[in-house]
Amino acid sequence: MAMANNKTVCFICNEQKITYPCKGCSKEFCFMDLAKHKQILNEELHYITNEYNEFKQTINEQKQNPQNHSLIKQINQWEINSIQKIQQKAQECREIFIKSSKTCINDIEIKFNDLNQKIKQFEKENEFNEINLNYLRNQLRKITEELNNPSNISIQQSSQSFINDISITFPKKPIFNKWKQNAITVAGENGEGKELNQLNCPGGIFIDKNKNIFIADDCNHRIIERQYNTKEGQIVAGADGRGNRMDQLNRPIDVIVNQQNHSIIIADQGNKRVIHWLNQNQQILIRNIGCWGLAMDKNGFLYVCDFWKNEVRRWKMGEYNNEGIIVAGGNGQGNQLNQLHAPTFIFVDEDQSVYVSDVNNHRVMKWRKDAKEGKVVAGGNGQGRNLNQLSYPQGVIVDDLGQTYVADSHNHRVMRWREGEKEGEIVVGGSGEGNQSNQLNRPCGLSFDNEGNLYVADHFNHRLQKFETI
């Protein structure tokens, strides 16, 4: 009876031998080479242990001596370079002054010698009076002032720094990703109406750095401010109902606040004008415009969405007499990438990219600064309620990570879209049309406060909902 052949090829020596498997790498080794393989593994473990110990030592060193970090060294080098620049500039100014000062002193010496001659002459001739003495006294005073404060030399400080500024930056991380699904009503608690604790079809909203909320109370033809932690609002724009007087509004749909001077800019939709309110004084900025959404960038440029002309224009502050510059749309009504169809709300990010709710195309478009056409960042797959669709989108905002939030009006939900993704996700709402705390009815304006809480103008529920972060 023949012996069974249980030999296989050894991975190392490549010979037919009785072998033993290594579970870690699933290879077969003969007895001798298995020992070598284990030795290699031991050496690798020893190497990893040494790396671990070195890394642990590095951590301890950085904890004990943070000044030795490479970034601290960069800061120190910046300090040295800046001081050298300052010292070099100061030395240059000293040399210029000393050179100019010598010329100035020489001129003063000449005047002084002339004055000295006159004094000696008066003393010699012994003929002088009060007029002569006053003259000598005034001349001596002028020469003294000229010596101490030369009129032709001064120090000018430029407002532009010649030292490169530095700062510490950190990568942006998502702080809040989710919100409680049951909202708190923070305005319009008493339903539809015109009392100060009521709203009627609220549109755009703006929240300042102190968490004061400004609401375009559309069908009440007024702007309401709800100060932080107060029980009812106050009217800050609009009076005596609907009208076209300077102190009246007609279906205001959006509002923004210039936080530098606390002035209010309103899209007075029914009067086809953009109007500015400051301490109850009004000024029409732009006339005859189908205004809807408003935005202001970090440079103070004003952006206005023209619903009827299917475009967004930008104006420089104080230059509203001109036609502005088209920054989105402007190529007629349509669904091409360079067109819009009934755009409403807008948002402008730090890079001056403009996001537009393109309502009748059921999409949100992003137009980069100076772009000739936009890019779809939400929706764009026809009207519907799937996660890749929108239905008459309204308010739009973008967070620090470039994620787009849109009030998906006819789907009664707020969606979040990450740029480049084919589908969005529901962040609040999505439980059907209704007035429960987890429901919305045609959501309109959107805003975040400085803690990341999400505010939604619940248009047909006549209330403002606050969804707190988790």
Side-chain angles (χ1 to χ4, degrees):
M1 184 176 179
M3 291 180 61
N5 183 8
N6 60 351
K7 296 181 178 181
T8 56
V9 176
C10 172
F11 180 75
I12 292 179
C13 67
N14 204 28
E15 295 181 5
Q16 288 275 350
K17 293 183 179 181
I18 296 174
T19 57
Y20 306 89
C22 173
K23 290 184 179 180
C25 63
S26 301
K27 295 181 175 65
E28 300 280 341
F29 301 91
C30 67
F31 184 77
M32 295 297 293
D33 288 334
L34 180 62
K36 293 179 182 177
H37 182 61
K38 287 183 177 180
Q39 180 62 31
I40 291 171
L41 294 179
N42 284 330
E43 291 174 357
E44 289 186 1
L45 176 61
H46 181 69
Y47 179 77
I48 292 171
T49 302
N50 287 339
E51 281 192 327
Y52 167 81
N53 291 331
E54 289 175 3
F55 185 71
K56 185 178 180 181
Q57 184 178 352
T58 302
I59 290 176
N60 291 333
E61 287 175 355
Q62 289 201 11
K63 285 172 65 177
Q64 295 172 4
N65 301 297
Q67 294 292 332
N68 293 333
H69 196 282
S70 62
L71 292 180
I72 292 292
K73 291 178 180 178
Q74 287 185 39
I75 294 171
N76 292 341
Q77 189 59 50
W78 170 85
E79 181 182 27
I80 292 169
N81 293 342
S82 298
I83 290 172
Q84 287 176 347
K85 267 190 158 185
I86 292 171
Q87 290 175 333
Q88 181 180 351
K89 188 68 176 178
Q91 184 59 28
E92 288 175 1
C93 290
R94 287 191 198 99
E95 292 173 358
I96 293 171
F97 174 77
I98 290 170
K99 184 177 179 181
S100 177
S101 178
K102 286 179 180 179
T103 303
C104 180
I105 290 173
N106 289 336
D107 292 341
I108 291 172
E109 264 191 322
I110 293 172
K111 294 178 182 178
F112 178 75
N113 291 332
D114 289 343
L115 185 63
N116 186 38
Q117 291 298 324
K118 289 180 180 178
I119 292 173
K120 288 180 178 180
Q121 183 179 352
F122 287 148
E123 288 176 341
K124 181 180 179 180
E125 296 177 353
N126 199 23
E127 289 186 2
F128 55 88
N129 54 31
E130 288 85 353
I131 296 174
N132 301 131
L133 294 177
N134 285 335
Y135 169 77
L136 294 175
R137 190 180 294 110
N138 288 334
Q139 288 298 102
L140 185 60
R141 179 180 55 78
K142 287 180 181 180
I143 294 173
T144 304
E145 288 180 358
E146 194 173 342
L147 179 65
N148 294 331
N149 300 296
S151 59
N152 61 338
I153 304 175
S154 63
I155 294 176
Q156 301 294 327
Q157 294 191 36
S158 173
S159 59
Q160 296 182 349
S161 174
F162 67 97
I163 300 172
N164 294 325
D165 194 11
I166 63 169
S167 61
I168 303 295
T169 59
F170 299 92
K172 292 179 180 178
K173 296 181 180 179
I175 301 174
F176 302 113
N177 282 320
K178 295 183 179 180
W179 292 264
K180 295 177 182 178
Q181 293 304 296
N182 292 302
I184 302 169
T185 301
V186 294
E189 300 93 332
N190 292 286
E192 178 183 356
K194 60 181 181 180
E195 300 300 323
L196 292 178
N197 58 4
Q198 294 179 307
L199 298 172
N200 191 351
C201 295
I205 52 179
F206 183 96
I207 302 177
D208 68 16
K209 58 186 177 182
N210 297 318
K211 296 185 185 177
N212 301 318
I213 306 167
F214 297 80
I215 308 165
D217 194 8
D218 185 10
C219 293
N220 278 327
H221 316 290
R222 65 189 185 182
I223 304 298
I224 290 288
E225 179 186 5
R226 175 64 71 91
Q227 293 187 349
Y228 182 57
N229 276 344
T230 56
K231 295 296 184 182
E232 62 180 33
Q234 59 179 334
I235 300 171
V236 293
D240 300 327
R242 184 176 189 167
N244 60 6
R245 296 197 317 257
M246 287 292 288
D247 64 339
Q248 290 181 308
L249 299 172
N250 183 357
R251 301 292 305 274
I253 192 61
D254 202 9
V255 57
I256 59 175
V257 178
N258 185 336
Q259 300 194 62
Q260 292 182 346
N261 60 9
H262 305 290
S263 64
I264 303 169
I265 299 175
I266 305 163
D268 191 9
Q269 178 196 184
N271 286 321
K272 294 184 179 180
R273 65 189 183 186
V274 177
I275 191 166
H276 177 261
W277 283 60
L278 177 60
N279 300 326
Q280 295 301 314
N281 295 314
Q282 304 87 31
Q283 176 190 4
I284 297 174
L285 301 182
I286 306 166
R287 302 175 186 270
N288 301 318
I289 182 171
C291 54
W292 200 287
L294 302 174
M296 184 174 287
D297 67 20
K298 61 184 179 182
N299 298 316
F301 287 91
L302 177 65
Y303 298 71
V304 184
C305 182
D306 192 328
F307 179 85
W308 299 112
K309 290 185 178 179
N310 301 292
E311 65 186 23
V312 180
R313 288 181 182 261
R314 180 183 71 209
W315 279 266
K316 187 176 181 180
M317 187 69 74
E319 296 183 3
Y320 302 113
N321 292 329
N322 60 35
E323 295 181 350
I325 298 172
I326 295 177
V327 293
N331 294 294
Q333 175 182 307
N335 61 5
Q336 302 301 309
L337 292 179
N338 67 344
Q339 294 179 307
L340 299 169
H341 187 184
T344 56
F345 289 95
I346 57 176
F347 180 90
V348 180
D349 67 15
E350 287 291 309
D351 300 322
Q352 294 179 293
S353 294
V354 180
Y355 296 75
V356 188
S357 276
D358 192 9
V359 175
N360 286 351
N361 283 324
H362 311 289
R363 66 189 184 183
V364 176
M365 300 293 291
K366 175 183 179 180
W367 289 64
R368 295 188 182 277
K369 185 180 179 183
D370 300 325
K372 299 300 181 184
E373 62 180 32
K375 173 185 178 182
V376 179
V377 292
N381 295 294
Q383 181 183 6
R385 57 183 306 167
N386 295 324
L387 292 179
N388 68 342
Q389 293 178 306
L390 298 171
S391 181
Y392 299 101
Q394 291 292 332
V396 57
I397 50 177
V398 180
D399 66 16
D400 291 339
L401 300 173
Q403 300 176 123
T404 302
Y405 298 76
V406 54
D408 190 8
S409 174
H410 282 43
N411 284 325
H412 317 291
R413 65 192 184 185
V414 177
M415 301 281 289
R416 173 171 60 194
W417 292 66
R418 294 178 176 88
E419 189 165 350
E421 295 289 335
K422 294 181 179 180
E423 292 185 347
E425 58 181 319
I426 301 170
V427 292
V428 297
S431 300
E433 175 185 336
N435 61 6
Q436 300 301 309
S437 62
N438 67 337
Q439 292 180 307
L440 299 168
N441 188 351
R442 303 288 177 87
C444 194
L446 298 180
S447 187
F448 288 122
D449 65 19
N450 53 18
E451 293 180 354
N453 300 307
L454 176 62
Y455 294 74
V456 183
D458 196 5
H459 193 69
F460 280 174
N461 280 327
H462 314 289
R463 64 188 183 182
L464 181 64
Q465 299 291 84
K466 175 184 178 182
F467 293 89
E468 295 182 321
T469 55
I470 299 175

